[in-house]
């Protein structure tokens, strides 16, 4: 087996491929490509009576806009190159969805399964202290969020530690996003990445010519899907695709193995089953495949890698039978695998666009924290009364009445979650069409990743050019 392209190499090669389609000066492209600041730390934490030295990173990829923004990953695979690749993707992702941040990412090299909740809390708090000490966190500096192995719980610990150290800082709640709703979070953040994946896929599936060329009908209804990774992103992608898209999830792969059911797997029930039994294997109605890795070769319309990078590589890419790959995870397809897949005519909806729902709603959360007010608080009641008056007038003028259910629907004012979902939907649709413009208009661009990269590059380059650093 020849050496596989690493995640870092793949991001770098993809960047170069897109950059070759632009006319920006070499120096500017180099500046955009490189990580602006890297903080590698080793700190001691007392675990079970003994000190353990924990290796961790925070990479700020681009300072062209501040604050920088990006999740924190807990995984034993973490290394500097992985965090740099993830941070770079955040820069392009933010630019693509018009979220005014530079890209960043954090990584703590630990396997979460090896630690108790109390030990994870200790590690998280110590990591936060290190970030504060080096000025690598703050509402206007660098704003972390969840990623693989972390979630709202860790974000709450980060916020609490930050606030203890920065007593009285009025905007301190905006130092981290993806927080629990009760501690200054926002409704709709937990599901945001999966929901964004669904909106992006749904938008692609409206393109009659392209979808027909794949041998499929437009629309999400009745399509089959296979998901790798039933964590935050995989779960919500599955749940929302079933509920709102009438998609059938026929295969799920997790650490313990891969299960299939051609009649469709109820993801809501599977999540409960796994929480109780600690495994997806044995879920009623499903068959377990011999090898976990065989998830890639299940015949389906849509394959959703939602676990880690480099899962689809040059040695398994040819086995893929899906027509569309939805990159819910970051970097799940290596550059070598992509070349094989594009030749086979597989469409790849790229990570930097498709999983941008998380950072989009994180942006809404940051805005909410800075404005110190919940979205919808000022206008909800006003809208409700205005709609109510309108319905009353129509019923008076027509002499016809409507049922309570219809009335409630027509007179509803928008709640925070309605506004968050609407903002996310708008963002995913708009960004898709910006990317598509480059996909259809640029002569040498034949894949969505390169089109997305160029779209992002144009925006980041334009920021640098307005600064006057690169005349
Ligand atoms: P998570 O930790 O919640 O879930 C990941 C899941 O993948 C876990 O259940 C894990 O057991 C499973 N997994 C790991 N290796 C596997 C393997 N070899 N086969 C099958 N399953 C495996 O993480 P997440 O937050 O859902 O992140 C998943 C991916 O999505 C990552 O690439 C992350 O960078 C990306 N992402 C996450 C967010 C977010 O908001 N959380 C946003 C954008 C992108």
């Amino acid at each position: 087996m020849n050496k596989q392209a690493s995640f870092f190499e793949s991001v770098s090669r993809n960047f170069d491929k897109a950059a070759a389609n632009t006319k920006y000066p070499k120096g500017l492209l180099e500046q955009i490509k490189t990580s602006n600041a890297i903080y590698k730390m080793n700190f001691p934490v007392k675990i079970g009576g003994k000190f353990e030295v924990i290796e961790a990173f925070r990479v700020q990829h681009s300072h062209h806009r501040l604050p920088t923004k990006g999740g924190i990953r807990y995984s034993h695979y973490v290394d500097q190159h992985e965090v740099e690749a993830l941070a770079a993707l955040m820069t392009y992702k933010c630019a693509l969805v018009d979220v005014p941040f530079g890209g960043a990412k954090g990584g703590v090299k630990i396997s979460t399964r090896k630690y108790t909740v109390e030990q994870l809390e200790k590690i998280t708090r110590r990591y936060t202290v290190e970030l504060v000490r080096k000025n690598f966190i703050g509402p206007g500096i660098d704003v972390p969020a969840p990623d693989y192995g972390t979630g709202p719980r860790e974000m709450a610990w980060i916020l609490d530690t930050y606030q203890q150290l920065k007593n009285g800082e009025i905007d301190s709640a905006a130092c981290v996003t993806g927080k629990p709703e009760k501690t200054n979070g926002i409704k709709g953040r937990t599901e945001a990445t999966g929901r964004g994946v669904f909106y992006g896929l749904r938008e692609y599936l409206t393109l009659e010519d392209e979808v027909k060329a794949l041998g499929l009908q437009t629309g999400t209804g009745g399509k089959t899907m296979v998901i790798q990774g039933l964590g935050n992103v995989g779960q919500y992608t599955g749940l929302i695709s079933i509920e709102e898209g009438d998609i059938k999830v026929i295969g799920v792969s997790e650490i313990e193995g891969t299960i299939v059911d051609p009649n469709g797997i109820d993801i809501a029930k599977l999540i409960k089953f796994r929480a109780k039994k600690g495994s997806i294997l044995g879920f009623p109605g499903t068959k377990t495949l011999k090898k976990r890795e065989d998830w890639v070769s299940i015949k389906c319309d849509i394959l959703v890698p939602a676990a880690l990078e480099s899962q689809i590589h040059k040695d398994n890419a040819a086995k893929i039978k899906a027509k569309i790959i939805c990159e819910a995870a970051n970097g799940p397809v290596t550059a070598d695998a992509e070349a094989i897949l594009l030749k086979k005519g597989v469409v790849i909806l790229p990570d930097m666009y498709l999983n941008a729902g998380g950072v989009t709603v994180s942006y809404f959360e940051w805005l909410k924290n800075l404005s110190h007010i919940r979205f919808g608080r000022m206008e909800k009641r006003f809208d409700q009364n205005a709609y109510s008056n309108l319905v009353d007038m129509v019923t008076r003028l027509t002499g016809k009445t409507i049922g309570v259910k219809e009335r409630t629907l027509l007179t509803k004012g928008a709640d925070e979650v309605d506004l968050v979902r609407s903002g996310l939907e708008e963002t995913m649709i708009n960004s898709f069409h910006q990317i598509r413009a480059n996909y259809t208009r640029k002569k040498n661009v034949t894949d969505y990743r390169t089109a997305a990269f160029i779209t992002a590059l144009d925006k980041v380059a334009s920021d640098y050019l307005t600064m006057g650093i690169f005349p």
Side-chain angles (χ1 to χ4, degrees), residues 73 86 93 105 113 146-150 189 193 228-234 253-255 274 292 306-309 311 328-330 355 358:
R73 173 171 292 196
L86 288 163
K93 201 178 293 187
K105 205 82 181 189
R113 288 152 189 258
D147 190 68
Y148 185 94
T150 62
R189 172 61 184 89
T193 309
Q228 186 206 28
L230 204 59
N232 171 283
V233 180
S253 182
E254 249 298 335
I255 290 278
R274 188 170 192 244
R292 178 182 79 185
L308 281 171
E309 59 268 17
Q311 296 300 301
N330 283 309
N355 69 32

Coordinates of all heavy atoms in Angstrom, one line a residue, residues 73 86 93 105 113 146-150 189 193 228-234 253-255 274 292 306-309 311 328-330 355 358, ligand 1:
R73 N -11.2 20.0 19.5 CA -11.3 18.6 19.3 C -10.5 17.9 20.4 O -9.4 18.2 20.7 CB -10.7 18.2 17.9 CG -10.5 16.8 17.7 CD -10.1 16.5 16.3 NE -11.2 16.8 15.3 CZ -11.2 16.4 14.1 NH1 -10.3 15.6 13.6 NH2 -12.2 16.8 13.3
L86 N -7.5 21.7 10.1 CA -8.8 22.1 10.5 C -9.0 23.6 10.6 O -10.1 24.1 10.3 CB -9.1 21.4 11.8 CG -9.3 19.9 11.8 CD1 -9.2 19.3 13.2 CD2 -10.7 19.5 11.2
K93 N -14.3 28.3 5.4 CA -15.7 28.1 5.7 C -16.4 29.4 6.2 O -17.5 29.7 5.7 CB -15.7 27.1 6.9 CG -17.0 26.3 7.1 CD -16.9 25.4 8.3 CE -15.9 24.2 8.0 NZ -15.9 23.2 9.1
K105 N -8.6 26.6 15.2 CA -9.0 25.3 15.7 C -8.2 25.0 17.0 O -7.0 25.4 17.1 CB -8.8 24.2 14.7 CG -9.7 23.1 14.8 CD -11.1 23.3 14.3 CE -12.0 22.2 14.4 NZ -13.3 22.4 13.7
R113 N -12.6 8.5 26.2 CA -13.1 7.3 26.9 C -12.3 6.9 28.1 O -12.7 6.2 29.0 CB -13.0 6.1 25.9 CG -14.1 6.1 24.8 CD -13.5 5.4 23.6 NE -14.4 5.6 22.5 CZ -15.3 4.7 22.1 NH1 -15.4 3.5 22.6 NH2 -16.1 4.9 21.1
P146 N -17.7 23.6 19.9 CA -17.5 22.2 20.0 C -16.9 21.6 18.7 O -17.1 22.2 17.6 CB -18.9 21.6 20.2 CG -19.7 22.8 20.6 CD -19.1 24.0 20.0
D147 N -16.3 20.5 18.8 CA -15.9 19.7 17.6 C -15.9 18.3 18.1 O -16.4 17.9 19.2 CB -14.5 20.1 17.1 CG -14.2 19.5 15.7 OD1 -14.9 19.8 14.7 OD2 -13.3 18.6 15.6
Y148 N -15.2 17.4 17.3 CA -15.2 16.0 17.7 C -14.7 15.8 19.1 O -13.7 16.3 19.5 CB -14.2 15.3 16.7 CG -14.1 13.8 16.9 CD1 -14.8 13.0 16.1 CD2 -13.3 13.2 17.8 CE1 -14.8 11.6 16.2 CE2 -13.2 11.9 18.0 CZ -13.9 11.0 17.2 OH -13.9 9.7 17.3
G149 N -15.5 15.0 19.9 CA -15.1 14.7 21.3 C -15.5 15.8 22.3 O -15.3 15.6 23.5
T150 N -16.1 16.9 21.9 CA -16.5 17.9 22.8 C -17.9 18.4 22.5 O -18.4 18.1 21.4 CB -15.6 19.2 22.8 OG1 -15.7 19.8 21.5 CG2 -14.2 18.9 23.1
R189 N -28.4 25.5 18.2 CA -27.0 25.3 17.9 C -26.6 23.9 17.9 O -25.8 23.4 17.0 CB -26.1 26.1 19.0 CG -24.6 25.8 18.9 CD -24.0 26.2 17.5 NE -22.6 25.9 17.3 CZ -22.1 24.8 16.8 NH1 -23.0 23.8 16.5 NH2 -20.8 24.6 16.7
T193 N -25.2 21.9 12.7 CA -24.3 21.4 11.7 C -25.1 20.4 10.8 O -25.1 20.4 9.6 CB -23.0 20.8 12.2 OG1 -22.4 21.8 13.1 CG2 -22.0 20.4 11.2
Q228 N -21.7 7.5 8.4 CA -20.6 7.1 9.2 C -20.5 8.0 10.4 O -20.2 9.2 10.2 CB -19.3 7.0 8.5 CG -18.2 6.4 9.3 CD -16.8 6.8 8.9 OE1 -16.6 7.9 8.4 NE2 -15.8 6.0 9.2
G229 N -20.6 7.5 11.6 CA -20.5 8.4 12.8 C -21.8 8.9 13.3 O -22.5 9.6 12.6
L230 N -22.2 8.4 14.5 CA -23.5 8.8 15.0 C -23.3 9.8 16.2 O -23.9 9.6 17.2 CB -24.3 7.6 15.4 CG -25.8 7.7 15.5 CD1 -26.4 8.1 14.1 CD2 -26.5 6.4 16.0
G231 N -22.4 10.7 16.0 CA -22.2 11.7 17.0 C -23.1 12.9 16.8 O -24.1 12.8 16.1
N232 N -22.7 14.1 17.2 CA -23.5 15.3 17.0 C -23.9 15.5 15.6 O -25.1 15.5 15.2 CB -22.8 16.5 17.6 CG -23.5 17.8 17.2 OD1 -23.4 18.3 16.1 ND2 -24.2 18.3 18.2
V233 N -22.9 15.5 14.7 CA -23.3 15.9 13.3 C -24.0 14.7 12.6 O -25.0 15.0 11.9 CB -22.0 16.2 12.5 CG1 -22.3 16.6 11.1 CG2 -21.2 17.3 13.2
G234 N -23.6 13.5 12.8 CA -24.2 12.4 12.1 C -25.7 12.2 12.6 O -26.6 11.9 11.8
S253 N -22.7 3.4 10.4 CA -21.4 2.9 10.9 C -21.0 3.6 12.1 O -21.0 4.9 12.2 CB -20.4 3.0 9.8 OG -19.2 2.4 10.2
E254 N -20.6 2.9 13.1 CA -20.0 3.5 14.3 C -18.7 2.7 14.7 O -18.4 1.7 14.1 CB -21.0 3.5 15.5 CG -21.5 4.9 15.9 CD -20.5 5.8 16.4 OE1 -19.4 5.3 16.9 OE2 -20.6 7.0 16.3
I255 N -18.1 3.1 15.8 CA -16.8 2.5 16.2 C -17.0 1.0 16.3 O -16.2 0.2 15.9 CB -16.5 3.1 17.6 CG1 -16.0 4.5 17.5 CG2 -15.4 2.2 18.3 CD1 -14.6 4.7 17.1
R274 N -28.5 2.8 21.5 CA -27.1 2.9 21.7 C -26.8 3.5 23.1 O -25.8 3.0 23.8 CB -26.4 3.8 20.6 CG -24.9 3.7 20.7 CD -24.2 4.3 19.5 NE -22.8 4.0 19.5 CZ -21.8 4.9 19.6 NH1 -22.1 6.2 19.8 NH2 -20.5 4.5 19.6
R292 N -16.5 -3.4 9.7 CA -17.0 -2.1 9.9 C -16.7 -1.2 8.7 O -17.5 -0.4 8.3 CB -16.3 -1.5 11.1 CG -16.6 -0.1 11.4 CD -15.9 0.5 12.6 NE -14.5 0.9 12.3 CZ -13.6 1.3 13.2 NH1 -13.9 1.4 14.4 NH2 -12.4 1.7 12.8
A306 N -19.4 11.3 8.7 CA -19.6 12.3 9.7 C -18.8 11.9 11.0 O -19.2 12.1 12.1 CB -21.1 12.4 10.1
A307 N -17.6 11.3 10.7 CA -16.8 11.0 11.9 C -15.5 11.8 11.9 O -15.4 12.8 12.5 CB -16.5 9.5 11.8
L308 N -14.5 11.3 11.1 CA -13.2 11.9 11.1 C -12.7 12.1 9.7 O -13.3 11.6 8.8 CB -12.2 11.1 11.9 CG -12.3 11.2 13.5 CD1 -11.4 10.2 14.1 CD2 -11.9 12.6 14.0
E309 N -11.5 12.7 9.6 CA -10.9 12.9 8.3 C -10.3 11.6 7.7 O -10.1 10.6 8.4 CB -9.8 14.0 8.3 CG -8.6 13.6 9.3 CD -8.8 14.2 10.7 OE1 -10.0 14.6 11.0 OE2 -7.8 14.2 11.4
Q311 N -11.3 9.2 5.9 CA -12.0 7.9 6.0 C -12.2 7.3 4.6 O -12.3 6.1 4.4 CB -13.4 8.1 6.6 CG -13.3 8.6 8.1 CD -12.5 7.6 8.9 OE1 -12.9 6.4 9.1 NE2 -11.4 8.0 9.5
A328 N -20.0 15.7 5.8 CA -20.5 16.3 7.0 C -19.3 16.5 8.0 O -19.2 17.4 8.7 CB -21.5 15.4 7.7
A329 N -18.3 15.5 7.9 CA -17.1 15.7 8.7 C -16.1 16.6 8.0 O -16.4 16.9 6.8 CB -16.4 14.3 8.8
N330 N -15.1 17.0 8.6 CA -14.0 17.8 8.0 C -13.0 16.9 7.3 O -12.5 16.0 8.0 CB -13.3 18.7 9.0 CG -14.2 19.9 9.3 OD1 -14.7 20.6 8.5 ND2 -14.4 20.1 10.6
N355 N -20.7 21.6 6.0 CA -20.8 21.5 7.5 C -20.7 22.9 8.1 O -20.4 23.0 9.3 CB -19.9 20.5 8.1 CG -18.4 20.8 8.0 OD1 -18.0 22.0 8.1 ND2 -17.6 19.8 7.9
G358 N -22.7 24.8 11.6 CA -22.3 24.9 13.0 C -21.7 26.3 13.2 O -22.2 27.0 14.2
Ligands
LIG1 P1 -18.7 13.6 17.8 O1 -17.6 13.3 18.7 O2 -20.0 14.1 18.4 O3 -19.1 12.3 17.0 C1 -18.2 11.6 16.1 C2 -18.7 10.1 16.1 O4 -17.9 9.4 15.2 C3 -18.6 9.4 17.4 O5 -19.8 8.9 17.8 C4 -17.5 8.4 17.2 O6 -17.7 7.2 17.9 C5 -17.7 8.1 15.7 N1 -16.5 7.5 15.0 C6 -15.2 7.8 15.2 N2 -14.4 7.1 14.4 C7 -15.3 6.3 13.7 C8 -15.1 5.2 12.7 N3 -13.8 4.9 12.3 N4 -16.1 4.6 12.2 C9 -17.4 5.0 12.6 N5 -17.6 5.9 13.5 C10 -16.6 6.6 14.1 O7 -18.1 14.6 16.7 P2 -18.9 15.6 15.8 O8 -19.0 16.9 16.5 O9 -20.2 15.0 15.3 O10 -17.9 15.8 14.6 C11 -17.8 14.9 13.6 C12 -17.1 15.5 12.4 O11 -17.8 16.7 12.0 C13 -15.7 16.0 12.6 O12 -14.9 15.9 11.5 C14 -15.8 17.5 13.0 O13 -14.7 18.2 12.7 C15 -16.9 17.8 12.0 N6 -17.7 19.0 12.4 C16 -18.3 19.1 13.6 C17 -19.1 20.3 13.8 C18 -19.8 20.5 15.1 O14 -20.6 21.4 15.2 N7 -19.7 19.6 16.1 C19 -19.1 21.3 12.9 C20 -18.5 21.2 11.7 C21 -17.8 20.0 11.4

